[in-house]
Amino acid sequence: MPPILRVAQLSKTYASGLQALTAIDLEIRRGEIFALLGPNGAGKTTLIGIICGIVTPTTGTVVADGHDIVRDYRAARALIGLVPQELSTYAFETVWATVSFSRGLFGRAPSPPFLEKLLRDLSLWDKRKERIMALSGGMKRRVMIAKALAHEPQILFLDEPTAGVDVELRRDMWALVRGLRDSGVTIILTTHYIHEAEEMADRIGVINKGELILVENKTDLMKKLGRKQLTLHLRQPLQMIPAELRDWSLVLKEQGHEIEYNFDAVEEGTGVPALLQRMGDLGIAFQDLNTRQSSLEDIFVRLVSERSGAGQ
């Protein structure tokens, strides 16, 4: 099945000389949740802005479900919904009016039943007659989501959608996202809450300094780059790591009461059993142990740090 979104050799250099994006190649699969991660200033919002027709690229092409975003702008843009970082709504309009207008803006026929369901899903139905200026920040964010979904897009961009929102909205939003994905909508999100990407995404992309440095299935990424940490709580403290254990690159902690061992998950079958056997041979007893799997955040920090170091 061809990708629903194809980005080829996309770059953006601003008049100031700032190169925000460098030769981005990316394909988004139909019906997936794709998480785009990167530090502040990495180029995430610029990339989204170009795809959504808000920012003009310097070079490259973007094709949304067969429609070039420049040559066939209307058809391409009608396929895309965007929930931006910043709240921007017509403050004096009612919720119902602004959502209805957003639907008509893309040439969609009126559908009060669809809009009613959308507002109910976002807990906005009771607020439909209120002016947006009177709503709380969380409710305004819900309106932004409703506006983005009003024309029933096939591709939905969520740019830091849960930044600064309450727990209830975050829960409602992810329930809505799962339902959209189940109905066939393709979702691309950026987030500072990496645990959200770890929970929600099918694939992960990492962007840094305008370059897309990695695109990987989430499970494959965790297997390839994930590390585990074994902590052994010793019965008797050690003054130093015995020479016989130096092959494992162990770290002594808590005044000698703990041994910490970091290892690649793929080596788990050989490294840990051999370590425990050697400790037993040396008479080093432990009363407890625990392991910790690297999170996506650990992997992200590691990737960005390695890339930044390589570029210096």
Side-chain angles (χ1 to χ4, degrees), residues 6-281:
R6 179 181 285 116
V7 176
Q9 290 297 293
L10 198 67
S11 70
K12 176 62 180 178
T13 303
Y14 288 98
S16 64
L18 172 66
Q19 189 163 19
L21 296 176
T22 304
I24 300 292
D25 290 312
L26 176 64
E27 292 187 349
I28 303 296
R29 301 166 183 166
R30 192 179 302 271
E32 74 172 333
I33 297 179
F34 183 89
L36 184 64
L37 306 179
N40 289 332
K44 302 186 298 295
T45 299
T46 298
L47 177 58
I48 290 175
I50 291 174
I51 296 172
C52 293
I54 299 169
V55 178
T56 302
T58 302
T59 65
T61 59
V62 178
V63 177
D65 203 17
H67 301 282
D68 186 283
I69 64 163
V70 175
R71 294 195 302 270
D72 198 4
Y73 171 79
R74 284 191 175 277
R77 187 63 183 85
L79 292 166
I80 298 171
L82 168 64
V83 182
Q85 288 188 46
E86 301 299 326
L87 293 174
S88 57
T89 56
Y90 297 105
F92 294 97
E93 292 281 359
T94 65
V95 171
W96 182 263
T98 195
V99 173
S100 298
F101 177 78
S102 292
R103 181 175 177 84
L105 191 63
F106 293 96
R108 303 286 293 187
S111 178
F114 172 80
L115 294 183
E116 178 178 344
K117 182 179 186 306
L118 179 61
L119 294 182
R120 288 188 183 279
D121 287 344
L122 287 165
S123 301
L124 283 170
W125 182 246
D126 291 342
K127 305 287 185 181
R128 65 190 182 281
K129 296 180 181 179
E130 293 191 20
R131 292 185 178 184
I132 294 171
M133 62 186 296
L135 300 179
S136 67
M139 285 296 170
K140 288 177 181 176
R141 177 71 66 181
R142 292 172 190 263
V143 174
M144 295 296 293
I145 299 168
K147 284 181 61 179
L149 293 173
H151 64 287
E152 301 177 63
Q154 293 304 298
I155 304 168
L156 178 64
F157 283 91
L158 301 170
D159 193 8
E160 301 288 349
T162 59
V165 305
D166 57 53
V167 174
E168 182 182 3
L169 175 54
R170 187 174 294 131
R171 184 188 65 241
D172 290 349
M173 182 181 298
W174 293 136
L176 182 65
V177 165
R178 289 188 179 96
L180 288 168
R181 194 261 303 274
D182 291 344
S183 71
V185 176
T186 302
I187 296 160
I188 299 98
L189 68 94
T190 73
T191 178
H192 277 92
Y193 301 106
I194 298 182
H195 68 274
E196 291 183 342
E198 187 168 355
E199 178 183 351
M200 298 291 298
D202 301 303
R203 287 197 302 154
I204 304 289
V206 178
I207 189 170
N208 188 40
K209 298 181 179 178
E211 295 185 40
L212 192 62
I213 61 177
L214 177 142
V215 175
E216 192 83 57
N217 285 334
K218 178 181 66 180
T219 52
D220 293 341
L221 178 63
M222 299 293 285
K223 288 178 182 177
K224 287 169 60 176
L225 299 178
R227 294 177 65 81
K228 285 192 174 182
Q229 183 182 88
L230 172 69
T231 302
L232 296 160
H233 305 273
L234 304 178
R235 291 189 181 278
Q236 298 295 330
L238 293 176
Q239 296 299 315
M240 64 181 65
I241 299 294
E244 294 86 348
L245 298 179
R246 287 176 183 167
D247 289 345
W248 284 270
S249 299
L250 305 177
V251 178
L252 204 57
K253 293 194 169 184
E254 298 296 326
Q255 290 79 47
H257 286 86
E258 291 182 2
I259 288 177
E260 184 178 280
Y261 176 41
N262 292 284
F263 58 97
D264 290 330
V266 294
E267 298 176 355
E268 181 182 359
T270 55
V272 173
L275 169 62
L276 298 181
Q277 179 65 50
R278 183 64 61 87
M279 288 178 61
D281 294 342

Side-chain angles (χ1 to χ4, degrees), residues 39 206 208-209 213 297-312:
V206 178
N208 188 40
K209 298 181 179 178
I213 61 177
E297 183 167 10
D298 297 329
I299 295 171
F300 168 72
V301 170
R302 178 178 160 196
L303 281 171
V304 171
S305 299
E306 289 175 354
R307 190 74 175 196
S308 298
Q312 294 175 351

